[in-house]
Amino acid sequence: PFWISFGAGRGPRSSLRCPAPGGRAPGAMEDSLAILPSSMGKQPPGAQPKKVDARKFIPAQKGGLLLSDPKAEECPYTFSDSPAYLRNKKAEEEAKRAAELEGKEETRGFLRSVEELARKQRWEEAFQFLERRTAAPSGLFLVTRAVLRWKFGKHRGALSDAQHALQQYSSSAKAGALAGALACFARICLGSSAQEKGSCSKEMRPLVEAWEHAEEEARRAH
């Protein structure tokens, strides 16, 4: 590069640096990777607030009240997956279920404990818990004990509980129908005829008849 002086005698001397061959000034970056956004300096930093659709907040009637604040900020966080939230929610559900079971006369005093043991697959403890009870407070108690007695091979006691529940609590919408179905299935499994089909619910009666028919066909085949 070279320098050209001009304007001699007309004031301060000015100098012009001639560009290097190729049209680029010496020292210029050959490959510039920095690309500045077009909005740089025009918007404040950070997330920009979302535009609110004003039509969602216009009252249906003239002079009506706003049902929500159009300037309210949305919370970007959620606590539905928090371990503490899930733990508290589970405790609330268990407390609600316990209050429901203890608040009903048919399930008070036994079904809550049986459900907790059954959820942990501790069936023998649930069976022993009911066996220690000397009094039968409700028909659902008898049906529950009959199921556990059948599970642990106490077939005679299971059928006795089912028949007792059917005789004493046949008017109960839950205990009567369950006791009738359980007595029918117990008799079929023991090789007898189902005598309590009339006490079964409308949905359960076809199942009892189909099972009884299948057992008869199996006995004939052997």
Side-chain angles (χ1 to χ4, degrees):
F2 58 92
W3 298 89
I4 300 177
S5 298
F6 66 97
R10 298 182 182 178
R13 299 182 66 180
S14 301
S15 61
L16 175 65
R17 191 175 185 180
C18 295
R24 291 181 179 271
M29 297 180 61
E30 294 293 337
D31 297 324
S32 179
L33 300 179
I35 301 177
L36 300 179
S38 59
S39 61
M40 184 175 180
K42 299 180 181 179
Q43 296 180 356
Q48 302 301 319
K50 297 181 179 179
K51 294 184 178 179
V52 179
D53 187 3
R55 294 176 297 179
K56 297 181 180 180
F57 303 95
I58 297 176
Q61 297 179 358
K62 186 176 181 180
L65 299 177
L66 293 177
L67 302 180
S68 57
D69 185 8
K71 296 183 179 180
E73 297 183 359
E74 296 183 1
C75 180
Y77 306 103
T78 176
F79 301 96
S80 59
D81 297 332
S82 170
Y85 172 81
L86 296 176
R87 185 168 55 252
N88 293 336
K89 184 177 181 181
K90 182 179 180 181
E92 291 176 359
E93 292 177 353
E94 291 178 353
K96 183 179 179 180
R97 178 61 176 171
E100 179 184 0
L101 294 178
E102 293 298 322
K104 296 180 179 180
E105 186 177 356
E106 288 186 327
T107 57
R108 185 183 302 122
F110 75 97
L111 195 54
R112 177 186 176 187
S113 300
V114 172
E115 277 193 355
E116 292 178 355
L117 294 172
R119 194 178 297 113
K120 301 174 184 178
Q121 301 294 316
R122 295 158 62 177
W123 299 106
E124 188 172 358
E125 294 184 30
F127 170 66
Q128 295 297 335
F129 171 76
L130 294 183
E131 285 293 311
R132 289 194 296 267
R133 299 288 296 268
T134 57
S138 65
L140 288 180
F141 175 87
L142 290 171
V143 172
T144 306
R145 190 173 66 177
V147 172
L148 290 176
R149 280 182 170 180
W150 186 273
K151 177 178 177 61
F152 287 96
K154 306 292 184 179
H155 300 153
R156 183 176 180 180
L159 184 58
S160 176
D161 278 347
Q163 289 178 335
H164 186 197
L166 191 58
Q167 293 173 0
Q168 298 295 328
Y169 303 96
S170 59
S171 59
S172 173
K174 296 181 179 178
L178 291 174
L182 182 59
C184 288
F185 292 139
R187 289 187 180 277
I188 293 173
C189 292
L190 295 175
S192 179
S193 59
Q195 303 175 4
E196 296 84 359
K197 285 187 291 185
S199 301
C200 297
S201 62
K202 183 174 61 176
E203 296 80 11
M204 188 64 66
R205 200 171 304 164
L207 298 177
V208 172
E209 294 176 353
W211 193 354
E212 188 176 22
H213 179 71
E215 287 292 331
E216 291 178 357
E217 293 293 333
R219 284 197 298 267
R220 292 174 185 175
H222 293 316

